[in-house]
């Protein structure tokens, strides 16, 4: 790193602190071809927490057949005892919740879709049916004192349906909150959003009674828009931002790129804006370089590449 | 492209039209290892103009020993007769200007530095000496009726000096305008800027009497910040944005990455914001894919990759 850079110059109207919801171990590794040994995953999560990430989504309690990359959830969670961070896990259904509860998990997330096409493709259900499936999961989790996040995918566009009406995202958001979710993560699953669209959706949610304090944003960098969209969300008062260390899961070389926003690129911007995150960019970058070694390819994060001078 | 995406959702407070100053043929190719044949360059520029780019910086009249990639400037310029676009060229000194004038060039640019370190490295002069060198060039060009752009490099940070005081960028900006430049391009040569810094610099320039209408922004994507910074500049009223088709010159795989903002990533954002540019994103992407074939490597632009499904 060049000493003194980035210069910290705050921008009026932005929050002073942002909580980064790190999704690399779950959303990132789930979308990588390489299956990483459970010991490496545990070490990855420990290093992320040590770099200052206060929330690290660790794994998913889906059926191992669906996501073989995360089939070791039962082994992984007990290995994380003593890690000082919130460690939410994804659960798709009641069976997943029972497995998570048995391991003492304190936070879960359910993964819904705004569009019928993706609900069908991802969950083999209609949007209504998926919400019916989530209802008892969220209720039981809340009863057990857990914190519950609701993911909404395809909020800004859908590969089959194209444009997604803002009103539809608002509707599914309200229904997920109605089930008892504490927080919603608005996902731009295919990375097509632009800043005006972000502002318009957040404004519409606000008018519908869903304030920024209950919202997280989850942008993908498929078209390079993730940080500009994040800036628009910050301006609207959002203070929880999802990102993936090293851009894991977002390999720009592959057709199937999901394009997760890299945590390092986000931290560079927030450091430059004088917005605190608690994250040490140098330690985080070193962690992503270490993880890239295990995956056998360089990180797609521009900041990781610039700071580590990685060659292809 | 997925039909209907990106959704065009304007954002309050942004301009309705942006002029893109395309720098791929000059700034891009100058920083590529491959030397491209002059016929390919001419065809590249014709295709860029046909894709709707109204300004295409074509080449540089530096000494061929300094930049062998652009040693064919004398051959290239006459090949562009009939291209319907503004076609500025870079000139470093009076000799360069004379060569450009002899070919009937109508617009030039000079390339200054805000920092002493880069002035020394790039021009082997102090900042004062470089401005003295530019003075007769700009005067003669204006006398000949040419339009003159002044580039300022290292406006937001310098690899040797680290942080660059805003006051210094303001000072060099005023001096370049004082020489007679019509427009300034504020360069983040190493890509370290963040949005608050952009806003603060533009505000300081405004207080010093340099309005947004005389300014262009030239961001590099080295740390992934270029589009977020562009958004901040648009909010401040800037309507001229530099970008490089396909991200030419900004290969993210090389240590020497300059990281030019890819024109396609910019157009995606502007299309999504409902800001007109006159550029056809499909034709532009096809042009960058064609050019990538001549360079023998895929485009580093995320939008080009997403739209063309390029494999590594």
């Amino acid at each position: 790193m060049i000493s003194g850079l980035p210069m910290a110059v705050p921008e009026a109207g932005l929050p002073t602190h942002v909580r980064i919801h790190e999704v690399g171990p779950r959303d990132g590794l789930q979308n990588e071809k390489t299956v990483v040994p459970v010991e490496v995953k545990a070490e990855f999560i420990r290093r992320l927490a040590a770099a200052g990430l206060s929330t690290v989504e660790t794994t998913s309690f889906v059926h191992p057949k669906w996501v073989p990359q995360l089939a070791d959830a039962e082994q992984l969670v007990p290995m994380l005892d003593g890690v000082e961070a919130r460690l939410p896990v994804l659960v798709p259904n009641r069976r997943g919740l029972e497995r998570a509860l048995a391991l003492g998990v304190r936070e879960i997330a359910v993964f819904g879709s705004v569009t019928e096409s993706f609900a069908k493709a991802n969950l083999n259900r209609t949007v209504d049916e998926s919400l019916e499936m989530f209802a008892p999961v969220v209720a039981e989790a809340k009863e057990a004192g857990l914190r519950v996040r609701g993911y909404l995918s395809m909020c800004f566009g859908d590969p089959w349906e194209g444009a997604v009406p803002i009103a539809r995202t608002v509707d599914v958001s309200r229904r997920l909150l109605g089930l008892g979710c504490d927080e919603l993560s608005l996902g731009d699953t295919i990375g097509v959003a632009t800043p005006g669209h972000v502002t318009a959706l957040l404004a519409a949610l606000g008018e519908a009674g869903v304030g920024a304090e209950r919202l997280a944003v989850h942008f993908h960098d498929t078209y390079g828009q993730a940080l500009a969209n994040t800036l628009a969300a910050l301006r609207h008062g959002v203070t929880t931002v999802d990102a993936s260390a090293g851009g894991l899961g977002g390999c720009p070389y592959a057709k199937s790129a999901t394009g997760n926003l890299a945590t390092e690129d986000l931290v560079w911007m927030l450091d430059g804006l004088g917005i605190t995150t608690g994250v040490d960019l140098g330690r985080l970058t070193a962690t992503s370089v270490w993880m890239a070694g295990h995956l056998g390819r360089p990180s797609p994060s521009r900041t990781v590449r610039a700071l580590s001078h990685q060659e292809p």
Side-chain angles (χ1 to χ4, degrees), chain A residues 193-214:
Chain A
T194 49
H197 195 169
V198 173
T199 301
L201 174 57
L202 293 171
L205 282 165
E207 282 167 27
V210 183
E213 72 285 354
R214 283 195 285 176

Side-chain angles (χ1 to χ4, degrees), chain A residues 174-187:
Chain A
R174 294 187 65 179
R175 291 166 71 186
L176 269 173
L177 287 174
L179 296 183
C181 288
D182 300 289
E183 174 181 274
L184 299 180
S185 173
L186 305 169

Side-chain angles (χ1 to χ4, degrees), chain A residues 13-243:
Chain A
L14 300 187
T16 56
H17 178 78
V18 158
R19 180 172 67 87
I20 296 176
H21 184 106
E22 169 62 44
V23 299
R26 198 277 302 167
D27 189 14
L29 292 183
Q30 172 176 340
N31 289 293
E32 294 284 341
K33 281 178 190 165
T34 308
V35 179
V36 175
V38 68
E39 295 78 12
V40 174
K41 286 180 187 173
E43 178 63 16
F44 183 40
I45 293 163
R46 280 192 286 267
R47 289 188 188 210
L48 291 170
L53 287 157
S54 61
T55 308
V56 184
E57 196 167 296
T58 53
T59 188
S60 177
F61 284 87
V62 293
H63 195 287
K65 275 189 196 163
W66 297 355
V67 186
Q69 291 92 334
L70 304 184
D72 54 13
E74 241 97 16
Q75 299 149 262
L76 177 61
V77 169
M79 295 172 76
L80 303 175
D81 276 355
V83 174
E84 292 203 3
R86 291 165 52 178
L87 300 173
V89 301
L90 202 67
V91 302
N93 49 34
R94 295 188 79 165
R95 173 76 191 112
L97 176 62
E98 283 159 23
R99 291 168 61 203
L101 285 172
L103 291 166
V105 160
R106 301 303 308 148
E107 286 195 50
I108 64 156
V110 295
F111 197 84
S113 171
V114 170
T115 66
E116 295 293 347
S117 301
F118 189 67
K120 184 75 186 168
N122 195 48
L123 301 166
N124 197 29
R125 282 172 171 74
T126 65
V127 170
D128 284 350
E129 287 165 355
S130 65
L131 292 170
E132 282 164 28
M133 175 173 70
F134 296 145
V137 176
V138 177
E140 196 177 326
K142 291 305 297 175
E143 207 165 305
L146 270 58
R147 192 179 154 84
V148 181
R149 156 179 270 217
Y151 278 104
L152 286 88
S153 51
M154 305 297 170
C155 292
F156 298 90
D158 176 285
W160 300 278
E161 301 180 20
V164 172
I166 285 174
R168 207 196 306 171
T169 303
V170 172
D171 176 58
V172 181
S173 297
R174 294 187 65 179
R175 291 166 71 186
L176 269 173
L177 287 174
L179 296 183
C181 288
D182 300 289
E183 174 181 274
L184 299 180
S185 173
L186 305 169
D188 181 20
T189 315
I190 56 171
V192 296
T194 49
H197 195 169
V198 173
T199 301
L201 174 57
L202 293 171
L205 282 165
E207 282 167 27
V210 183
E213 72 285 354
R214 283 195 285 176
L215 297 172
V217 286
H218 185 107
F219 294 121
H220 281 196
D221 229 357
T222 323
Y223 296 81
Q225 310 294 311
L227 274 186
N229 291 337
T230 301
L231 186 60
L234 296 178
R235 195 175 294 281
H236 196 85
V238 170
T239 58
T240 303
V241 180
D242 296 6

Side-chain angles (χ1 to χ4, degrees), chain A residues 252-290:
Chain A
Y253 318 125
K255 223 173 198 167
S256 58
T258 60
N260 274 309
L261 169 61
T263 311
E264 289 86 354
D265 297 12
L266 172 63
V267 171
W268 185 279
M269 183 173 85
L270 297 176
D271 279 356
L273 287 163
I275 296 172
T276 60
T277 61
V279 176
D280 179 321
L281 184 55
R283 285 184 83 165
L284 176 60
T285 299
T287 297
S288 290
V289 170
W290 169 85

